Amino acid sequence: MHVVHTIAALREVLAGTPGASFVPTMGNLHDGHLALVRLAKRQGGPVVVSVFVNRLQFAPHEDFERYPRTLERDCELLRQVGCNVVFAPDERELYPTPQRYTMQPDPDLADILEGQFRPGFFTGVCTVVAKLFQCVQPRVAVFGKKDYQQLMIVRRMVEQFAMPITIVAGETERSHNGLALSSRNAYLSSDEQARAVQLSACLREVRAGLAAGVVAIDALEAQALQRLRQGGWLPDYLTVRRQHDLLPPLAGDLGASVPLVVLAAARLGQTRLIDNLEF
């Protein structure tokens, strides 16, 4: 496995190889990331994983400085699952000058949900992903469904700019109790770890209510939000949306079996977690 830190070295390693399958990460890897790498291996070509904590997607009050940097451990995990190339640039390599040119995603998709509570987040995500795509020039890129809105926005960006990249979605990996795996789970205390499963439990209850024929979506959402608050959470949102555009379902969508997704973001102690379930 090659570990490279510059764009020039990355291109030298990839020269003459078939199109890569690419997994962008911010490091501090867990089994969810490794599942994406295994999925990338099934797409063919060399597997490239980037490890880069992207300052552009963090607001000034967020956890950029304390976000765990565990490159040595990450490389060992990636070696075990058959990664071919790790691209781990520092900020000076990826942003040698201030990044004044940025990718502005469609506000109809990017300024809702996560974008409402984290203004500018998806501009930072799209900018770094577009730049990483330029560096790696992959044939396939793999993103996890846990970051559902991010997956949709990256997909739209690739379509809008006719990038020759196939976006492959990986299912959310969960612990035995249903908690979605996330690098930020490491911030949770042992007590918070036990309580964190309430988030996925509330999503399952909303999904079960809709599957049972409940059409009062607002009531289902309100009940789930109340349960989170009673459990000590500070929720930003818990909402049912259409999968294809993340807008609220219309009255006729339930009867027409339009694919839906319930998404949530909430803070437990000092840790903000997100999750979703499709149905």
Side-chain angles (χ1 to χ4, degrees):
M1 184 180 78
H2 299 275
V3 180
V4 298
H5 302 280
T6 68
I7 298 169
L10 173 69
R11 289 175 175 165
E12 182 178 351
V13 167
L14 292 177
T17 64
S21 295
F22 177 45
V23 183
T25 82
M26 293 205 300
N28 192 30
L29 303 183
H30 51 68
D31 285 344
H33 294 109
L34 301 183
L36 298 181
V37 176
R38 294 187 186 98
L39 179 56
K41 283 180 67 65
R42 297 199 292 271
Q43 310 308 311
V47 174
V48 179
V49 175
S50 64
V51 176
F52 180 71
V53 184
N54 177 41
R55 187 187 296 271
L56 296 187
Q57 67 195 66
F58 288 79
H61 66 280
E62 292 183 331
D63 59 345
F64 174 78
E65 296 298 342
R66 74 182 184 116
Y67 195 91
R69 275 78 165 172
T70 57
L71 181 59
E72 185 174 343
R73 172 183 170 275
D74 293 343
C75 287
E76 180 54 35
L77 291 172
L78 291 170
R79 187 175 288 109
Q80 292 173 16
V81 295
C83 175
N84 300 111
V85 182
V86 177
F87 178 44
D90 63 18
E91 279 196 287
R92 290 185 301 275
E93 178 66 18
L94 212 56
Y95 302 130
T97 60
Q99 189 70 29
R100 302 300 187 194
Y101 288 75
T102 58
M103 297 290 276
Q104 301 295 323
D106 178 5
D108 288 344
L109 185 58
D111 290 355
I112 60 175
L113 301 171
E114 286 297 283
Q116 178 182 348
F117 291 92
R118 304 181 69 187
F121 171 69
F122 288 117
T123 296
V125 168
C126 287
T127 299
V128 75
V129 169
K131 197 158 194 177
L132 289 168
F133 282 171
Q134 284 295 103
C135 297
V136 178
Q137 298 187 9
R139 178 180 53 84
V140 173
V142 180
F143 290 81
K145 285 188 180 181
K146 184 182 75 68
D147 298 288
Y148 201 86
Q149 189 175 5
Q150 172 180 281
L151 169 64
M152 289 191 62
I153 287 171
V154 169
R155 222 175 226 152
R156 294 273 182 91
M157 179 181 74
V158 167
E159 292 169 356
Q160 291 268 311
F161 286 95
M163 296 178 180
I165 302 168
T166 299
I167 302 300
V168 174
E171 297 296 332
T172 301
E173 295 289 315
R174 299 182 180 275
S175 62
H176 68 279
N177 58 12
L179 176 64
L181 299 187
S182 168
S183 296
R184 288 186 168 91
N185 291 353
Y187 298 158
L188 298 168
S189 68
S190 56
D191 174 65
E192 289 169 344
Q193 285 273 358
R195 293 160 55 202
V197 299
Q198 294 171 332
L199 189 61
S200 59
C202 285
L203 296 180
R204 288 196 302 272
E205 289 171 9
V206 171
R207 183 174 67 176
L210 289 168
V214 176
V215 295
I217 293 177
D218 290 349
L220 286 174
E221 294 172 343
Q223 290 167 9
L225 286 166
Q226 182 61 21
R227 283 192 290 276
L228 285 176
R229 294 188 184 100
Q230 290 172 345
W233 294 75
L234 294 175
D236 286 339
Y237 59 83
L238 189 153
T239 181
V240 176
R241 298 298 174 100
R242 300 187 302 204
Q243 288 184 24
H244 71 277
D245 59 10
L246 295 186
L247 293 179
L250 301 175
D253 288 338
L254 293 179
S257 299
V258 171
L260 302 176
V261 57
V262 54
L263 309 104
R267 192 174 299 277
L268 184 60
Q270 299 300 309
T271 306
R272 186 177 185 272
L273 301 177
I274 63 172
D275 201 354
N276 66 81
L277 286 175
E278 294 178 314
F279 56 97

